[in-house]
Amino acid sequence: MMQEWWRPDRFAARRLRLDRRGQILGAVRSFFTARGYLEVDTPALQTSPGLEPHLRAFNTLLHDPRDDRTAERYLHTSPEFAMKKLLVAGLPRIWQLAHVFRDGERSATHHPEFAMLEWYRVGASYHDLMDECAALIGTCQAAAGAEALVWRGRTADARRPWQRLSVADVFQQHCGIDLLATAPDPAAPDVERLAAAAHHLRIAPHPGDDWEALFFRIFLERIEPVLGCGAPTILFDYPLSMAALSRRSLGDPRLAERFEVYVCGLELANAFGELTDAAEQRRRFVADQAKKWALYGETYPIDEDFLAALDHGLPPCSGIALGFDRLVMLATGAADIEEVLWAPVC
């Protein structure tokens, strides 16, 4: 934690990176304006902060003097629900730089309050967003005057052709594992099959681990550190059990239309061909609530207004969330996220 960050000598050491942050933000605004996107601003206080099982949210009580009613509200972990409601309302292309909040997260690359860049585009496929994301990050690198993006001694030039690999490809390439063979039932993959396939790596499940937990143990140890070196990597087509808010792949029902962006071994963005089926989304939310309760003994409510909006009609679209502070870190060579924040949380 950065102590007394406001002292002039300490602030001066960060000033160049903060100036470049402003240049990158200017480039982002110009990028989206040129492509016909509308900048929006949605509230941080929400009925549901998001239902990803491993995220912890901040909550508060909201008092409405109009009817003397008090209700629990949460600081959002992403503006996704509100932004998709705007798509239902009729906006075709929107973007936002939102402050989002996640409790229990603080490290060189995590902060309890940080900036999330999200954009959504009606009629776009997730492959369209791959192209758009690559163009945006290349533009931001140029705006910062950086020859390359840098993290922990690794470099990547976003202006070079990006590498695009499927999740199944990287597990086969780096681990010798046929990942999809460990998930004969896409909705309920088998942790024992994956454990057997990973035996030669000497990576075993911990007591209570499910398939996804073991997936990430293998991924974080053997795959993530080598992704996005030289040029950024797009990792696409996640197993269906990891679909989150993405739709099932039309080409392979075992997969979901989801991709992530990695630069210098650091995760930068997460994108979906968006799920528009309200009934399927409710089923996933209920499953996520049950998983969070089993793991942590707590859960968050479902945003019924969001499901009503989906039921009313979310048009086919794709969306992406990108960690803006991490992008600034990469473009300025910062070693810690607090070096690129105007005022860290104390």
Side-chain angles (χ1 to χ4, degrees):
M1 186 183 302
M2 190 176 293
Q3 299 293 334
E4 297 187 337
W5 58 265
W6 41 265
R7 289 189 177 275
D9 57 332
R10 296 176 183 175
F11 186 74
R14 299 162 51 226
R15 182 58 191 272
L16 178 59
R17 289 193 172 98
L18 294 172
D19 287 343
R20 288 183 179 172
R21 181 187 181 103
Q23 293 165 356
I24 293 169
L25 179 55
V28 167
R29 284 205 162 92
S30 297
F31 180 91
F32 286 117
T33 296
R35 285 161 176 76
Y37 281 80
L38 178 67
E39 183 177 3
V40 299
D41 186 7
T42 59
L45 281 174
Q46 294 288 330
T47 301
S48 174
L51 290 169
E52 202 285 332
H54 300 291
L55 295 185
R56 294 177 55 193
F58 296 95
N59 67 321
T60 187
L61 295 177
L62 178 67
H63 180 72
D64 190 337
R66 295 172 298 181
D67 57 9
D68 197 30
R69 186 165 54 97
T70 299
E72 190 171 38
R73 291 292 182 266
Y74 298 85
L75 292 173
H76 62 189
T77 58
S78 161
E80 181 169 4
F81 294 169
M83 292 185 76
K84 287 181 180 176
K85 292 174 188 178
L86 289 175
L87 299 183
V88 174
L91 297 181
R93 297 186 179 206
I94 55 175
W95 77 278
Q96 178 174 191
L97 186 65
H99 278 237
V100 299
F101 306 84
R102 299 180 181 183
D103 197 8
E105 295 192 6
R106 196 152 201 165
S107 70
T109 57
H110 295 86
H111 203 67
E113 178 179 356
F114 63 99
M116 183 82 84
L117 174 61
E118 292 205 18
W119 71 97
Y120 295 84
R121 182 172 147 198
V122 170
S125 71
Y126 70 134
H127 289 286
D128 293 328
L129 257 62
M130 293 179 194
D131 296 337
E132 202 159 56
C133 185
L136 173 66
I137 294 176
T139 297
C140 291
Q141 179 183 323
E147 288 298 316
L149 304 173
V150 181
W151 172 245
R152 291 183 174 173
R154 306 183 184 99
T155 62
D157 188 346
R159 298 164 298 185
R160 291 176 51 188
W162 287 31
Q163 188 175 39
R164 301 189 185 195
L165 298 167
S166 73
V167 175
D169 285 341
V170 297
F171 268 78
Q172 186 66 60
Q173 178 181 336
H174 295 288
C175 304
I177 292 175
D178 183 349
L179 187 67
L180 297 181
T182 71
D185 179 355
D190 188 341
V191 66
E192 295 302 328
R193 285 176 180 258
L194 182 54
H199 180 72
H200 67 286
L201 302 176
R202 298 184 180 179
I203 300 176
H206 292 175
D209 273 357
D210 60 9
W211 186 92
E212 185 175 334
L214 182 55
F215 170 99
F216 278 115
R217 185 164 295 117
I218 298 167
F219 181 81
L220 293 174
E221 181 174 324
R222 296 302 180 99
I223 299 172
E224 185 179 63
V226 301
L227 295 179
C229 297
T233 295
I234 290 174
L235 194 61
F236 65 93
D237 286 357
Y238 277 72
L240 184 64
S241 62
M242 304 172 73
L245 280 75
S246 63
R247 60 180 170 245
R248 185 192 293 256
S249 170
L250 295 177
D252 188 334
R254 300 173 298 173
L255 304 174
E257 292 188 357
R258 174 182 176 186
F259 74 84
E260 293 189 336
V261 175
Y262 288 86
V263 182
C264 303
L266 181 65
E267 180 193 346
L268 184 60
N270 187 22
F272 303 144
E274 301 294 346
L275 180 65
T276 59
D277 184 329
E280 172 60 17
Q281 188 61 80
R282 179 182 294 279
R283 187 195 66 78
R284 293 186 193 177
F285 281 163
V286 170
D288 285 341
Q289 284 182 314
K291 183 173 183 177
K292 188 175 189 69
W293 183 262
L295 290 172
Y296 306 112
E298 65 173 344
T299 191
Y300 302 132
I302 291 173
D303 184 345
E304 294 292 345
D305 189 56
F306 172 64
L307 291 178
L310 287 190
D311 193 52
H312 184 82
L314 176 66
C317 59
S318 293
I320 183 168
L322 183 151
F324 183 74
D325 306 310
R326 289 189 181 185
L327 177 58
V328 178
M329 290 175 64
L330 289 163
T332 62
D336 192 289
I337 193 171
E338 294 193 359
E339 295 177 25
V340 299
L341 301 179
W342 285 98
V345 173
C346 296

